[in-house]
Amino acid sequence: MRSLFNYQSHGKQLSPFLLLDYAGPARFDATERARGVGQHPHRGFETVTIVYKGEVAHRDSTGEGGVIGPGDVQWMTAGAGILHEEYHGEAFSRSGGELEMVQLWVNLPSRSKMSAPSYQAILDDQIPVVDLAAGAGSARIIAGEFEGRRGPARTFTPLNVWDLRISEGRAVELPVPAGWTAALVVLRGSVLVNGSAVVRAAQMAVLDRTGVDAFVEANTDAVLLLLSGEPIDEPIVGHGPFVMNDESEIAQAVADFNADRFGVISRPTDVQDVPDARGNPSAAETRC
């Protein structure tokens, strides 16, 4: 797992985006033991999981759950508080294979931080694909809009999450509204951004909000995410899996979690609790 940014290092600069972790590509041997992150809470933001290879199983205290594979997305709104857990899918665990995924945290404005938690399961075939100009590649529109195609994700503030493939030697101009935050996250390959910055795998380029659009040239075949959004001009105060606007709200989140006000995760009777990936019991400081 590589953390490319978090709310402590880039929270204000990259608002409304709080964190991005890039897992893999990594190969896992077959096993009968579940691998993943056990039950843990969130409040005040959304988590977005994008799978490129492998399989991820999700279950949460709203009663939602499911398994997503390559191309699929889980968009979970923690809102007022949720418990969830994520493991490798059962079939993937038993067969083994390569896992590659991204998890993005998206902030909620203060008016929505205590909204009811919810869950969006977005399958690959529900995500529109736009062919880039001059055969440069393609863009999957997970959230926001590009070339008249709108992504299926429901968001609380205006933002774009585009999953891009750009062919070696090709270039594309990507629109970014003036005043919006924008970052290009390269997962595979190497690109040149605005003729000045080479960005390689597991690196990102942050664009100046005073500019518009981004010109991207692929030095090799490249896979990248464009994240852009209208900044949320509010304080960011976080403590592990809770992101609110002030310290009193963080204290209340901790108190509510300790008082079991985040609900419970129902589970089949033949499933037992599993420690997190570090071998520790699940806890409020664990994130997924």
Side-chain angles (χ1 to χ4, degrees):
M1 178 77 76
R2 288 167 283 187
S3 186
L4 273 63
F5 66 86
N6 60 58
Y7 60 78
Q8 294 168 327
S9 64
H10 290 79
K12 190 170 183 63
Q13 183 183 16
L14 288 180
S15 177
F17 306 106
L18 294 170
L19 174 148
L20 188 139
D21 285 342
Y22 179 32
R27 179 160 291 278
F28 291 87
D29 293 333
T31 180
E32 294 296 320
R33 178 181 174 83
R35 296 188 182 101
V37 181
Q39 187 176 135
H40 60 283
H42 292 299
R43 173 177 280 183
F45 61 96
E46 303 182 285
T47 68
V48 180
T49 303
I50 306 169
V51 176
Y52 289 88
K53 297 178 182 178
E55 197 176 71
V56 176
H58 168 96
R59 185 162 52 216
D60 66 45
S61 54
T62 71
E64 295 286 356
V67 178
I68 60 171
D72 300 337
V73 177
Q74 293 172 339
W75 195 295
M76 186 187 77
T77 301
I82 199 169
L83 298 178
H84 82 141
E85 59 187 27
E86 287 183 310
Y87 290 100
H88 294 176
E90 182 179 354
F92 177 78
S93 294
R94 289 182 175 175
S95 65
E98 192 168 33
L99 179 74
E100 182 182 14
M101 57 169 274
V102 164
Q103 186 164 94
L104 172 70
W105 289 10
V106 179
N107 202 9
L108 292 172
S110 59
R111 66 180 181 273
S112 304
K113 282 191 175 292
M114 296 299 288
S115 59
S118 61
Y119 176 80
Q120 302 174 64
I122 303 171
L123 301 182
D124 182 35
D125 62 8
Q126 297 173 316
I127 300 172
V129 179
V130 175
D131 292 329
L132 300 176
S138 63
R140 296 195 320 141
I141 314 306
I142 297 169
E145 186 174 354
F146 181 45
E147 298 289 347
R149 304 295 301 277
R150 175 162 291 278
R154 301 183 302 274
T155 67
F156 285 78
T157 59
L159 60 87
N160 295 313
V161 177
W162 301 344
D163 177 21
L164 302 159
R165 273 78 173 163
I166 305 177
S167 301
E168 179 178 358
R170 300 300 181 95
V172 62
E173 189 168 19
L174 300 170
V176 178
W180 276 29
T181 294
L184 283 161
V185 179
V186 177
L187 304 179
R188 304 178 214 152
S190 170
V191 301
L192 179 67
V193 180
N194 289 343
S196 61
V198 175
V199 189
R200 298 181 175 86
Q203 295 181 338
M204 71 173 182
V206 180
L207 305 181
D208 195 308
R209 288 181 187 166
T210 60
V212 293
D213 302 343
F215 189 71
V216 182
E217 302 169 81
N219 301 319
T220 65
D221 287 347
V223 176
L224 57 155
L225 286 171
L226 174 73
L227 310 176
S228 62
E230 185 176 84
I232 299 172
D233 188 19
E234 296 173 352
I236 297 172
V237 178
H239 178 71
F242 307 133
V243 181
M244 303 300 288
N245 297 117
D246 60 47
E247 293 289 352
S248 67
E249 293 173 332
I250 293 295
Q252 186 63 57
V254 173
D256 289 345
F257 170 68
N258 289 333
D260 296 327
R261 297 192 183 109
F262 282 35
V264 295
I265 298 177
S266 60
R267 60 185 61 237
T269 56
D270 61 342
V271 175
Q272 298 179 346
D273 286 320
V274 179
D276 68 22
R278 298 179 180 84
N280 303 312
S282 55
E285 288 294 332
T286 305
R287 74 163 183 261
C288 181

